[in-house]
């Protein structure tokens, strides 16, 4: 099973700042089958990025994903107040099992 | 618009059985897998398994294999997650979600509380 490690655990930033979130896999994620989700308190997660770098429908272009192999990054270019949330990466390159990372909380500094 | 609507919150005692549901609409129910995800209180997301509603083929995370059963009734566009004997450690929010790779949209979640 592929293990995903997200860092940092918590990111304290101010609105307008740039956020860089990391997701590292224990083995190569095939075909960049890596997704990112946002979860706000009391809500279900929402897909942001799939295929490592493709934005899901309706996702603002301040969100971008990059990376391949074992190292992936989610970047939020300029934080808006509604972006403070928990972010999860997820791999779906393994045929029979999906896994999530432990999450990164982006909080207001 | 694809929509998944889950059944309501449940409060159960240890040892009891339970089945929660997830009804799909806005698409051909048999065309896409449904995944189930657990979120324990204050914790992260854990993928449990998925089902292909067209033939009820399933596969499970090793962590959940044998502890839960995923099924579907395509005649009513509904997927299920069930337990035969609940434990206190099953207390969590459970989400269904559309798809087998990147998964979206998600249902609203069903809170399961197991307490004596």
């Amino acid at each position: 099973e592929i293990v995903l490690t997200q860092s940092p655990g918590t990111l304290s930033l101010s609105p307008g700042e740039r956020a860089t979130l990391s997701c590292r896999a224990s083995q190569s994620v095939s075909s960049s089958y890596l997704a990112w989700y946002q979860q706000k308190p009391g809500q279900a997660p929402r897909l942001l990025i799939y295929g490592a770098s493709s934005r899901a429908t309706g996702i603002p272009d301040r969100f971008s994903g990059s990376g391949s192999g074992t190292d992936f990054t989610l970047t939020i270019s300029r934080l808006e107040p509604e972006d403070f949330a928990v972010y999860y990466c997820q791999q779906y390159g393994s045929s029979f099992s999906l896994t999530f990372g432990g999450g990164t909380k982006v909080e207001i500094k | 618009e694809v929509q998944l609507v889950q059944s309501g919150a449940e409060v159960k005692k240890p040892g009891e059985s339970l089945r929660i549901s997830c009804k799909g609409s806005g698409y051909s129910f048999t065309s896409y897998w449904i995944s189930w995800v657990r979120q324990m209180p204050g914790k992260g997301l854990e993928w449990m398994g998925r089902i292909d509603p067209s033939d009820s083929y399933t596969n499970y995370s090793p962590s959940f294999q044998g502890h839960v059963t995923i099924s579907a009734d395509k005649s009513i566009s509904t997927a299920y997650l069930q337990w035969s004997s609940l434990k206190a450690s099953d207390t969590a929010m459970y989400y269904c979600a559309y798809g087998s790779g990147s998964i979206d949209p998600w249902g609203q979640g069903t809170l399961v509380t197991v307490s004596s």
Side-chain angles (χ1 to χ4, degrees):
Chain A
E1 182 175 275
I2 297 176
V3 176
L4 300 178
T5 302
Q6 292 189 241
S7 61
T10 302
L11 199 51
S12 299
L13 295 168
S14 300
E17 290 193 295
R18 181 184 187 88
T20 302
L21 287 66
S22 174
C23 176
R24 178 160 291 176
S26 60
Q27 55 189 281
S28 184
V29 177
S30 63
S31 302
S32 294
Y33 287 148
L34 193 287
W36 291 92
Y37 299 83
Q38 177 194 67
Q39 187 179 32
K40 298 179 181 179
Q43 296 185 17
R46 175 176 71 146
L47 177 67
L48 298 175
I49 301 287
Y50 64 93
S53 61
S54 298
R55 273 187 299 277
T57 303
I59 302 303
D61 60 8
R62 64 179 181 274
F63 291 92
S64 63
S66 62
S68 63
T70 60
D71 289 295
F72 298 88
T73 300
L74 175 70
T75 302
I76 311 171
S77 59
R78 288 179 56 85
L79 283 164
E80 297 288 341
E82 62 267 28
D83 299 337
F84 291 91
V86 180
Y87 293 83
Y88 296 94
C89 60
Q90 176 227 348
Q91 68 79 26
Y92 52 102
S94 172
S95 300
F96 296 102
S97 188
L98 284 61
T99 48
F100 288 94
T104 291
K105 181 179 182 180
V106 178
E107 65 176 22
I108 299 176
K109 187 174 181 180
Chain B
E1 177 195 6
V2 174
Q3 194 170 13
L4 299 176
V5 177
Q6 297 184 232
S7 50
E10 301 275 1
V11 180
K12 291 290 191 178
K13 290 181 166 47
E16 292 186 329
S17 63
L18 175 64
R19 188 177 77 168
I20 62 175
S21 66
C22 169
K23 183 173 177 60
S25 63
Y27 71 102
S28 174
F29 186 71
T30 54
S31 295
Y32 292 93
W33 295 65
I34 295 284
S35 291
W36 286 94
V37 176
R38 183 176 78 174
Q39 187 167 39
M40 298 178 77
K43 302 298 184 182
L45 305 173
E46 301 173 272
W47 181 77
M48 303 175 72
R50 60 191 172 189
I51 186 164
D52 179 349
S54 67
D55 60 5
S56 289
Y57 175 81
T58 54
N59 72 276
Y60 294 89
S61 162
S63 299
F64 292 92
Q65 180 84 47
H67 297 286
V68 296
T69 301
I70 296 171
S71 60
D73 184 341
K74 60 186 178 183
S75 70
I76 55 172
S77 301
T78 300
Y80 301 99
L81 178 65
Q82 67 182 66
W83 297 259
S84 59
S85 181
L86 287 160
K87 304 175 184 177
S89 58
D90 293 317
T91 294
M93 182 71 81
Y94 293 88
Y95 295 100
C96 63
Y98 173 90
S100 63
S102 62
I103 50 179
D104 195 72
W106 296 51
Q108 83 277 19
T110 296
L111 180 63
V112 174
T113 303
V114 184
S115 174
S116 55

